[in-house]
Amino acid sequence: MNTTFAELKLKIIRCLSDEAETVEYQPLGGATYSADLLKDSVHAALDAICSRLWKSETFEVDPEVDTWPLPDDLLDIESVYEKGLGLFIPRISMRVGSSLSSSIGNGWLMYPHGVITFVNDVSSSGCTVHYSARWAKPEEDGDALDPPASTLTCLILFAASYCLLTDATSSASIDRFKTKVDSGQPTDNPAKEMSNFMLHRFEVEMQRLPMMEKGRVQ
């Protein structure tokens, strides 16, 4: 995607009918929605799109080891290629009646937390792990976004919904004191309704994207 973090924040600000505020040497924010909140919303949106469109990554496992630490951005392992065997090796299921063995010479499982464990030591050629990862989180306004351009609308809608949650929370704290009939019910919360509407639009837009294919690990 050719869009920068600042450009995405501007689109979110416009979607929320807010005004951009630029201060020298300060990150871009809105008059109502702060730079910190916008950053939080974009980071949450990048995680949200991973349910359908994730980042494809790989990492190498050294030869002759039986465990290896998993990267922090890992969502799930798609496949493990054992170079010595020249094969994609299977994931071992932890269920009654199964054993820690593989008909092709090796297998793997994600256990304990944070590591991949192999049934037998990796061969002298090592192996390559293909995995689905979270998208990188931008920190500076000039940072380019990782996801494809087709996700831009999804990111805007989810981030806008996230920002509106703060309005919904503030409104809920105030509206519990409503007593007059013409002021509405204490449960009335337009910001919450708008946040839910944006979230629904996000889900509709996500359905327009082609679903990435998961690796078959068994």
Side-chain angles (χ1 to χ4, degrees), residues 45 50 58 65 87 95 125 134 172 202:
C50 288
T58 63
V65 299
L87 296 169
R95 62 172 182 260
S125 300
R134 295 180 178 86
F202 161 78

Side-chain angles (χ1 to χ4, degrees), residues 196-213:
N196 289 339
F197 173 72
M198 292 288 190
L199 187 59
H200 172 70
R201 285 293 310 276
F202 161 78
E203 291 167 351
V204 170
E205 290 298 324
M206 285 290 288
Q207 292 298 318
R208 299 178 190 272
L209 301 177
M211 179 73 176
M212 291 182 69
E213 184 177 352

Side-chain angles (χ1 to χ4, degrees), residues 11-217:
K11 293 177 186 293
I12 298 166
I13 288 168
R14 288 197 293 268
C15 182
L16 292 167
S17 297
D18 196 9
E19 295 292 333
E21 287 194 341
T22 55
V23 180
E24 192 174 8
Y25 306 119
Q26 296 293 324
L28 175 70
T32 301
Y33 304 97
S34 69
D36 286 340
L37 177 59
L38 288 167
K39 183 168 83 168
D40 290 345
S41 72
V42 170
H43 288 187
L46 288 166
D47 283 341
I49 64 172
C50 288
S51 63
R52 192 173 183 86
L53 193 69
W54 52 85
K55 187 176 184 179
S56 298
E57 288 283 12
T58 63
F59 65 88
E60 299 295 320
V61 176
D62 286 350
E64 301 175 353
V65 299
D66 61 359
T67 61
W68 195 258
L70 297 173
D72 292 338
D73 63 348
L74 181 138
L75 289 170
D76 196 14
I77 290 178
E78 302 295 325
S79 63
V80 179
Y81 184 74
E82 239 275 21
K83 297 177 184 177
L85 296 172
L87 296 169
F88 288 100
I89 59 177
R91 182 174 189 166
I92 303 300
S93 298
M94 299 176 66
R95 62 172 182 260
V96 175
S98 64
S99 63
L100 287 176
S101 63
S102 170
S103 60
I104 63 173
N106 209 348
W108 60 274
L109 62 160
M110 282 198 292
Y111 191 88
H113 177 72
V115 301
I116 180 172
T117 299
F118 296 89
V119 173
N120 300 307
D121 287 355
V122 175
S123 69
S124 58
S125 300
C127 70
T128 302
V129 179
H130 303 258
Y131 71 99
S132 50
R134 295 180 178 86
W135 297 103
K137 306 293 198 308
E139 295 293 338
E140 305 295 333
D141 280 357
D143 291 346
L145 298 175
D146 273 353
S150 59
T151 64
L152 185 58
T153 301
C154 299
L155 293 172
I156 294 168
L157 290 169
F158 190 93
S161 173
Y162 186 101
C163 289
L164 285 165
L165 287 176
T166 58
D167 289 341
T169 303
S170 298
S171 180
S173 298
I174 295 171
D175 288 355
R176 70 178 186 271
F177 297 111
K178 286 180 176 177
T179 56
K180 295 181 180 179
V181 173
D182 60 358
S183 66
Q185 299 296 320
T187 54
D188 292 343
N189 195 323
K192 183 191 75 172
E193 297 300 321
M194 183 55 67
S195 177
N196 289 339
F197 173 72
M198 292 288 190
L199 187 59
H200 172 70
R201 285 293 310 276
F202 161 78
E203 291 167 351
V204 170
E205 290 298 324
M206 285 290 288
Q207 292 298 318
R208 299 178 190 272
L209 301 177
M211 179 73 176
M212 291 182 69
E213 184 177 352
K214 296 289 289 183
R216 299 181 64 182
V217 295

